[in-house]
Amino acid sequence: MSKKEVQFHDYQYMVNKLRNKGLIIDSNRIAIELLQSVGYYNLINRYKSEFYLPDKKVYRSNVHITDLYYYHRIEDDLRNILFQFAIKFEQRLKESMAYIMAKRRGVKTSEYLNPLTYRNKNKAIKITKFLNKKISECNDDPTKYYKEKYGDVPPWIMLSNITFGQTRMLLSIFPRNMTKYIMIKLLPIGKNNYGDIDEFIFNEFMDSLDLDKYSDKELNQISEKYENTLIKFTRNVISLIHDYRNNLAHGNRLIHFHANTSLELRTLRIFTNNSVFSDEEYYNNQLCSNDLFALMAALVITLDKYDSIYLISQLEVWKKANTATDITKKQFDQFISSSDLPSDFIKRLKNITIEKTNRQKNKEFRDFMDNF
């Protein structure tokens, strides 16, 4: 079977083609300007499924080319907001990793990139060799400055020059005690102002137990099980945000996109209650599993409280700007529906408690352990 040939068509041909398929073109000039600015593929092909009747090969009635443009602008604005905060999360992750590497392994490359100090020896050898090569080949500041001034590159500079994916690769060989520190820094689970690794909500819970009822072995098992669950959740959050971050960076569609990694309901319940989403919504609609709402919730949970509040405020500004007129509100509501976001998603995000009292934390921990 012969393949179709790609052909060149001028903008007027494109406009005529769209008009013949039932798309309303109120102005040839405006239609051509939109195609010149955004591109036929980015404006038409990307959003056609929301407005097109494939069985009849025509657009739904009363659809204007400007409707597709409004739709494009709504998604583009949201993409910019989420990408900004995905970058903030990446910076927060790298800062936590750099701190614990410097504290536990040292500031010299020979110290913090010693594969024998990490888990999974063979994998650690490959990763540290790759990172040493990256440092050696980098001639940009601030790496160049540190190599010339100090003859070495500390971990916080090394991490600033690698990608999010390479950062995840490095985290995968962290020993448990270092990964635990990352988990405590990212999750709102009880820590002092210095993020001390030993200031952990589990310790507060243990103080409230009748310790005579448990052997040391049982207490250690409870502690390890809880911490392992939170470490796994942290890794899943990082993977989910990484998937979306790549999607955002490449300008791909947010609608219908799902991360490869899902967030487990039981662990989500430590940070979210039914006012954020219900169990039925999670199981029946996969709400907050690996969808767009899961990304938003993951960012609110893991960013510092100021950035979490700022993210929600930016989403409110985005919504207000795109619902100022009846036309834009119509497209906004359709976009939210197509994205499988709840219509009140901003209100729901506000119900994620960014900072909890010790009493709240202990209650959530008890509820979590009761369901183990």
Side-chain angles (χ1 to χ4, degrees):
M1 181 179 178
S2 61
K3 295 183 179 179
K4 294 175 63 176
E5 291 185 4
V6 178
Q7 298 179 344
F8 166 81
H9 298 295
D10 62 25
Y11 291 112
Q12 187 59 59
Y13 177 93
M14 298 176 193
V15 170
N16 293 338
K17 178 181 178 181
L18 292 171
R19 185 180 278 116
N20 291 337
K21 289 182 176 292
L23 187 65
I24 299 174
I25 308 294
D26 297 297
S27 165
N28 265 22
R29 179 183 60 81
I30 292 176
I32 289 174
E33 286 179 354
L34 292 177
L35 292 172
Q36 288 175 332
S37 174
V38 182
Y40 188 95
Y41 177 83
N42 289 329
L43 181 63
I44 305 301
N45 290 354
R46 276 194 173 184
Y47 301 100
K48 185 168 69 174
S49 62
E50 312 300 325
F51 301 93
Y52 196 66
L53 300 173
D55 54 332
K56 297 181 179 180
K57 297 184 178 181
V58 295
Y59 283 87
R60 290 190 280 106
S61 61
N62 201 32
V63 176
H64 299 245
I65 192 171
T66 49
D67 291 329
L68 277 73
Y69 173 71
Y70 289 137
Y71 215 74
H72 162 79
R73 193 183 68 183
I74 289 167
E75 185 172 54
D76 210 37
D77 291 345
L78 178 60
R79 184 185 297 110
N80 291 338
I81 293 170
L82 295 178
F83 184 68
Q84 171 190 357
F85 286 94
I87 294 296
K88 287 181 180 291
F89 172 84
E90 182 180 347
Q91 292 170 339
R92 182 170 169 83
L93 171 63
K94 287 181 176 181
E95 170 57 28
S96 300
M97 291 174 63
Y99 180 87
I100 199 61
M101 289 175 75
K103 181 176 181 180
R104 294 291 176 86
R105 297 293 180 264
V107 297
K108 296 180 179 180
T109 54
S110 60
E111 296 172 335
Y112 72 80
L113 289 182
N114 179 358
L116 299 180
T117 63
Y118 292 95
R119 68 186 187 94
N120 197 333
K121 181 181 175 181
N122 291 335
K123 185 178 181 180
I125 290 173
K126 292 180 181 179
I127 291 173
T128 53
K129 180 180 179 180
F130 168 81
L131 294 175
N132 271 306
K133 184 179 179 182
K134 290 280 290 185
I135 293 171
S136 175
E137 294 176 348
C138 182
N139 293 311
D140 298 326
D141 285 329
T143 301
K144 179 182 177 182
Y145 169 81
Y146 271 85
K147 286 197 289 189
E148 292 177 350
K149 183 76 173 178
Y150 299 98
D152 216 328
V153 178
W156 54 90
I157 299 299
M158 179 275 295
L159 278 159
S160 70
N161 284 330
I162 65 175
T163 67
F164 196 164
Q166 291 162 355
T167 302
R168 287 180 60 213
M169 182 176 67
L170 175 59
L171 180 62
S172 71
I173 60 172
F174 268 29
R176 187 176 185 278
N177 62 346
M178 291 173 64
T179 306
K180 178 182 172 183
Y181 174 81
I182 305 303
M183 174 264 287
I184 292 174
K185 290 296 292 181
L186 292 180
L187 301 182
I189 50 174
K191 47 187 177 282
N192 63 21
N193 292 332
Y194 305 100
D196 191 336
I197 193 169
D198 294 321
E199 187 69 16
F200 187 52
I201 181 57
F202 180 78
N203 294 336
E204 298 171 0
F205 173 77
M206 294 293 283
D207 290 340
S208 67
L209 286 178
D210 183 356
L211 299 182
D212 292 336
K213 294 182 179 180
Y214 301 91
S215 67
D216 289 343
K217 182 179 179 180
E218 289 173 326
L219 292 173
N220 288 334
Q221 288 175 339
I222 293 173
S223 173
E224 186 173 349
K225 185 179 289 187
Y226 182 59
E227 290 176 359
N228 285 341
T229 300
L230 289 177
I231 287 172
K232 179 183 177 182
F233 179 76
T234 302
R235 292 186 182 278
N236 287 346
V237 164
I238 293 170
S239 295
L240 181 140
I241 295 177
H242 173 256
D243 284 352
Y244 270 97
R245 190 253 189 229
N246 284 349
N247 175 278
L248 294 164
H250 290 95
N252 296 327
R253 293 216 61 190
L254 283 172
I255 293 179
H256 311 311
F257 178 81
H258 290 80
N260 293 320
T261 304
S262 298
L263 305 181
E264 186 184 48
L265 175 62
R266 184 177 59 179
T267 319
L268 270 171
R269 282 293 178 233
I270 299 176
F271 312 102
T272 60
N273 55 35
N274 283 322
S275 65
V276 180
F277 64 92
S278 67
D279 288 8
E280 290 76 18
E281 288 176 315
Y282 179 91
Y283 286 118
N284 296 335
N285 306 323
Q286 287 74 55
L287 184 64
C288 212
S289 172
N290 62 347
D291 58 352
L292 186 57
F293 189 66
L295 169 67
M296 295 177 177
L299 289 171
V300 172
I301 290 169
T302 55
L303 291 171
D304 70 52
K305 63 179 179 180
Y306 304 106
D307 281 337
S308 295
I309 293 170
Y310 186 44
L311 167 58
I312 294 173
S313 72
Q314 288 296 292
L315 291 173
E316 287 181 311
V317 171
W318 168 70
K319 179 180 179 179
K320 183 177 180 180
N322 287 292
T323 54
T325 68
D326 290 340
I327 294 175
T328 55
K329 185 179 185 304
K330 175 185 174 183
Q331 300 310 330
F332 181 84
D333 290 343
Q334 183 174 340
F335 176 84
I336 295 302
S337 176
S338 298
S339 303
D340 294 325
L341 284 169
S343 59
D344 60 344
F345 72 99
I346 295 177
K347 178 182 177 181
R348 293 179 184 232
L349 292 174
K350 287 182 178 180
N351 289 327
I352 298 175
T353 306
I354 297 170
E355 287 190 318
K356 301 181 177 70
T357 64
N358 288 342
R359 181 178 297 177
Q360 286 175 311
K361 296 168 190 169
N362 283 330
K363 181 181 184 303
E364 289 168 355
F365 179 80
R366 289 175 185 275
D367 291 342
F368 178 86
M369 293 308 299
D370 287 343
N371 294 321
F372 233 89

